[in-house]
Amino acid sequence: MATKDDRTVLERLREFVMMEGSAPHMLVEALDDLDHHYRSFDLRWSADVLAIARWRQAAPGRELTWPDHADLVVWLLSVWPGSSPRSAPGGR
């Protein structure tokens, strides 16, 4: 009976490359960069989902709407305590 492998494709590739023992340095660096990008994306995605949930809570009826990222940032700045559009960096 096969067991479920919870490793990502990236983890499997890294294991295979390291198993070979003579992985080119550039390939190892590329895998490290790719891993960094995956982790960065996951962090950003989690933060965006949390912000969107708060945006939806603030105005019922938005349950099926995803805001444009710029609109979401402007909204978050507007609800931040002590913040106003003029006090934000680049505000007019």
Side-chain angles (χ1 to χ4, degrees), residues 67-88:
D68 175 83
H69 186 74
D71 292 339
L72 182 62
V73 169
V74 169
W75 177 80
L76 285 168
L77 286 172
S78 74
V79 297
W80 189 268
S83 177
S84 72
R86 291 186 161 268
S87 66

Side-chain angles (χ1 to χ4, degrees), residues 17-63:
V17 167
M18 298 315 241
M19 216 170 28
E20 292 297 312
S22 60
H25 184 67
M26 287 177 59
L27 181 57
V28 173
E29 283 183 4
L31 287 170
D32 289 342
D33 287 345
L34 188 58
D35 185 50
H36 172 76
H37 289 294
Y38 272 112
R39 284 185 279 121
S40 296
F41 175 83
D42 288 341
L43 286 172
R44 169 75 184 269
W45 180 260
S46 297
D48 283 351
V49 168
L50 178 61
I52 290 168
R54 290 181 180 176
W55 179 79
R56 287 176 176 164
Q57 272 183 333
R62 296 181 184 173
E63 291 83 16

